[in-house]
Amino acid sequence: MTAALAGPVMSNETDYPKVLDVAGYNYTEKRYQQDHEKYPDRILYGSETSRGLEAWKAVRDNDYVFGQFIWAGYDFLGKTGPWPSRGSTAGLVDMAGI
């Protein structure tokens, strides 16, 4: 069983992570090493990460992190920034397919 810990700091104050087989961390790659030291048996993955180089390095450099899921693969309409933006630019592939 797995779940994304959108807030690992708060989740670690509960028993919730203990019932998971695999713990997902949302946008908290900086906590991987610290939490691995405190919870060495916890299996970690990036359940929601950015497309940035640092997110990739966090997986590459830590053998106890088995992978990541990037939000999002493709840019999309909605969840936008201030006007005149009309869509998200978080994806690996833009709306033109590039």
Side-chain angles (χ1 to χ4, degrees), residues 53-70:
L53 181 59
E54 292 307 310
W56 288 101
K57 285 181 179 179
V59 175
R60 181 196 68 188
D61 296 343
N62 298 296
D63 61 359
Y64 50 85
V65 179
F66 76 80
Q68 67 179 351
F69 293 89
I70 300 169

Side-chain angles (χ1 to χ4, degrees), residues 16-83:
Y16 182 54
K18 295 175 188 172
V19 302
L20 300 175
D21 298 308
V22 182
Y25 279 42
N26 285 5
Y27 300 107
T28 51
E29 297 88 349
K30 64 185 178 291
R31 293 205 55 89
Y32 290 166
Q33 182 176 0
Q34 177 181 350
D35 281 10
H36 175 66
E37 290 171 4
K38 191 169 183 178
Y39 312 101
D41 295 330
R42 183 179 291 174
I43 301 170
L44 299 174
Y45 70 100
S47 44
E48 193 171 308
T49 66
S50 70
R51 64 180 179 184
L53 181 59
E54 292 307 310
W56 288 101
K57 285 181 179 179
V59 175
R60 181 196 68 188
D61 296 343
N62 298 296
D63 61 359
Y64 50 85
V65 179
F66 76 80
Q68 67 179 351
F69 293 89
I70 300 169
W71 183 267
Y74 288 87
D75 287 352
F76 56 93
L77 295 175
K79 201 173 183 180
T80 185
W83 190 88

